[in-house]
């Protein structure tokens, strides 16, 4: 028979070193019979020296490197496409191992370089003004796929510049993928073997998944809450899924109870939609709503996308809204729209056909 002599040899998929956290790496190293310090050596190569080839791990002997190469890989995104907007913002499209794509947006501003990172492909929430919500949830990202966005983008910026802040405000609802998010933040903040960025320079933005706030606090990152409405009825219309889960009053109660460290404050984001939530009456509801919460406010004029029923208010209306809030004693900033011509601005991530 034709196939009689064919031997079936099981093919083991090589281990992706980036998919392992500290504990995984320690356990794996010990199964290889290597000393525990080798775990830290390898992780430092991955996150601090950012090598992409095992052969570059020069404090491992040549034979250890070839043993490692036989079993493992350093698998980053398979394909990276970069679209540069006229304002210097760059949208990175990263192809994942299963062919799905994820987006990260690099935003240079003066001497600051901010990366907006995604935590899910798509999103479970259905916020009416957000393009990502329209695609539904494809899947959660793994911790290494979140960290990979940072490593890959860092490889594309000049050696002398570095990322100054990370915002978890890309595709998805970060707190709906809490376990992988915490793991990613640990790898990014650990100074011993991880990337070593300060959690103070990181902001996690949530549509209002209040039940997870207690898991965010120990990470010591900044927390931004997308308020977007000043009455429960209005929030139900704009953000139905999340507001059903945690209605406005419950969300604000969780914000009041959030254990803020000394000198830090929450951020409230507020998407301004013309004729919907941009009236003086809306602005005048803020003081009572946010009473007793140490916070600042970021106004985000709506970024338009194809098929959306909403429009952006005029500059005059935006400034007036800001003025009313300022007069009420709030620190209020208007978030400049960046990268709109490559659909890289807030709420525009997900249109991958561009
Ligand atoms: N799911 C998280 C993070 C992603 S959205 C959250 O809701 O916070 C990041 C920010 O962009 C949120 O404040 C959201 O309200 C805002 N946003 C969404 N769509 C937008 C759009 N089309 N224009 C302007 N801001 C938008």
């Amino acid at each position: 028979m034709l196939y009689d002599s064919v031997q079936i040899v099981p093919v083991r998929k090589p281990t992706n070193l980036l998919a392992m956290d500290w504990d995984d790496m320690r356990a794996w190293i010990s199964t290889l019979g290597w000393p525990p310090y080798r775990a830290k050596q390898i992780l430092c190569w991955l996150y601090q020296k950012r090598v992409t080839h095992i052969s570059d791990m020069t404090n491992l002997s040549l034979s250890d490197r070839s043993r490692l190469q036989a079993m493992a890989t350093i698998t980053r995104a398979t394909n990276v496409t970069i679209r540069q907007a006229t304002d210097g913002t760059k949208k990175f499209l990263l192809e994942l191992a299963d062919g799905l794509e994820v987006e990260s947006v690099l935003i240079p501003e003066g001497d600051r370089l901010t990366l907006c990172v995604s935590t899910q492909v798509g999103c479970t929430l259905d916020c009416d003004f957000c393009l990502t919500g329209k695609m539904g949830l494809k899947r959660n990202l793994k911790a290494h796929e979140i960290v990979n966005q940072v490593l890959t983008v860092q490889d594309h910026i000049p050696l002398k510049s570095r990322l100054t802040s990370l915002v978890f405000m890309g595709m998805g609802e970060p707190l709906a993928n809490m376990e992988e998010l915490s793991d990613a933040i640990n790898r990014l903040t650990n100074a011993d073997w991880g990337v070593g960025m300060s959690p103070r320079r990181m902001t996690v933005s949530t549509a209002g998944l209040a039940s997870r706030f207690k898991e965010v606090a120990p990470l010591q990152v900044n927390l931004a809450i997308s308020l977007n409405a000043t009455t429960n009825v209005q929030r139900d219309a704009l953000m139905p899924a999340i507001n059903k889960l945690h209605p406005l009053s419950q969300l604000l109660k969780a914000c009041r109870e959030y254990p803020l460290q000394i000198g830090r404050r929450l951020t409230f984001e507020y998407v301004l939609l013309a004729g919907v939530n941009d009236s003086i009456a809306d602005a005048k509801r803020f003081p009572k709503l946010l009473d007793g919460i140490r916070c600042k406010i970021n106004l985000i004029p709506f970024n338009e996308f194809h098929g959306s029923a909403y429009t952006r208010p005029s500059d005059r209306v935006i400034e007036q809204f800001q003025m009313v809030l300022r007069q009420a004693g709030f620190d209020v900033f208007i978030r400049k729209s960046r990268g709109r011509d490559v659909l890289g601005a807030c709420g525009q991530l997900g249109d991958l056909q561009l």
Side-chain angles (χ1 to χ4, degrees):
M1 269 170 47
L2 195 61
Y3 297 114
D4 260 2
S5 58
V6 175
Q7 268 193 341
I8 311 270
V9 182
V11 181
R12 267 187 82 211
K13 247 180 104 189
T15 305
N16 182 6
L17 295 177
L18 286 167
M20 285 190 260
D21 66 11
W22 171 254
D23 290 334
D24 298 335
M25 186 63 84
R26 296 268 299 203
W28 191 66
I29 288 297
S30 91
T31 64
L32 301 182
W34 277 346
Y37 66 81
R38 180 104 339 144
K40 183 173 165 187
Q41 280 178 322
I42 295 176
L43 290 166
C44 286
W45 281 113
L46 298 177
Y47 297 120
Q48 296 180 354
K49 303 194 187 81
R50 306 199 310 258
V51 298
T52 50
H53 298 289
I54 290 168
S55 55
D56 291 334
M57 297 184 172
T58 48
N59 59 1
L60 270 61
S61 69
L62 274 176
S63 68
D64 282 353
R65 271 179 264 170
S66 45
R67 189 170 169 211
L68 202 54
Q69 269 169 323
M71 294 177 290
T73 57
I74 303 175
T75 308
R76 299 263 199 99
T78 39
N79 250 318
V80 183
T81 312
I82 307 173
R83 300 193 201 288
Q84 173 143 13
T86 45
D87 64 9
T89 300
K90 284 183 188 161
K91 170 154 134 173
F92 287 75
L93 295 166
L94 278 68
E95 193 180 324
L96 306 170
D98 59 2
L100 287 176
E101 275 189 324
V102 75
E103 308 183 347
S104 324
V105 183
L106 182 66
I107 310 158
E109 180 144 52
D111 52 8
R112 290 168 58 93
L113 200 51
T114 302
L115 184 66
C116 179
V117 174
S118 295
T119 51
Q120 298 181 311
V121 185
C123 189
T124 40
L125 303 178
D126 54 358
C127 304
D128 204 31
F129 46 81
C130 180
L131 182 58
T132 308
K134 310 282 172 215
M135 67 190 278
L137 179 72
K138 298 276 195 291
R139 70 171 173 87
N140 279 332
L141 291 181
K142 292 278 178 203
H144 71 93
E145 292 169 326
I146 299 174
V147 176
N148 265 347
Q149 296 172 56
V150 180
L151 300 178
T152 302
V153 171
Q154 268 178 337
D155 284 347
H156 284 83
I157 57 185
L159 266 183
K160 61 177 181 354
S161 57
R162 57 188 192 88
L163 294 173
T164 53
S165 37
L166 287 187
V167 293
F168 295 89
M169 294 184 187
M171 296 170 88
E173 166 52 41
L175 305 196
N177 187 16
M178 196 64 223
E179 222 172 286
E180 300 296 327
L181 175 76
S182 322
D183 184 353
I185 290 175
N186 285 333
R187 296 185 205 194
L188 291 166
T189 53
N190 190 295
D192 201 23
W193 53 264
V195 177
M197 283 185 83
S198 165
R200 290 184 157 261
R201 300 194 166 272
M202 298 182 186
T203 301
V204 172
S205 177
T206 177
L209 209 46
S211 52
R212 301 274 189 207
F213 285 8
K214 54 183 179 307
E215 293 161 69
V216 179
L219 299 173
Q220 303 198 359
V221 293
N222 301 299
L223 179 62
I225 299 107
S226 300
L227 185 65
N228 297 342
T230 54
T231 68
N232 204 48
V233 172
Q234 200 183 40
R235 205 163 191 273
D236 253 342
L238 294 176
M239 309 170 78
I242 191 67
N243 205 56
K244 226 150 253 125
L245 206 58
H246 297 295
L248 188 56
S249 57
Q250 205 183 88
L251 170 63
L252 293 171
K253 180 168 178 283
C255 292
R256 275 193 186 89
E257 289 166 359
Y258 191 80
L260 274 174
Q261 289 180 319
I262 294 169
R264 297 179 80 178
R265 50 191 182 168
L266 295 176
T267 300
F268 285 99
E269 294 161 292
Y270 191 87
V271 183
L272 281 168
L273 308 165
V276 176
N277 65 355
D278 62 344
S279 70
I280 304 277
D282 284 301
K284 288 198 163 155
R285 278 191 282 266
F286 272 71
K288 194 161 163 221
L289 277 182
L290 305 186
D291 185 37
I293 307 177
R294 242 176 24 239
C295 65
K296 64 173 173 163
I297 298 168
N298 278 349
L299 299 175
I300 318 177
F302 178 63
N303 294 311
E304 287 157 12
F305 55 85
H306 186 69
S308 160
Y310 299 106
T311 51
R312 150 190 295 252
S314 67
D315 287 351
R316 196 185 56 79
V317 168
I318 297 169
E319 279 156 25
Q320 207 170 38
F321 201 91
Q322 181 185 34
M323 184 73 75
V324 176
L325 294 179
R326 283 215 166 131
Q327 279 164 354
F330 290 106
D331 272 343
V332 195
F333 305 92
I334 298 173
R335 187 176 304 157
K336 269 203 248 159
S337 288
R338 302 294 307 268
R340 272 204 286 168
D341 52 341
V342 291
L343 286 187
C346 294
Q348 293 186 315
L349 302 185
D351 193 347
L352 301 166
Q353 288 91 287
L354 232 203

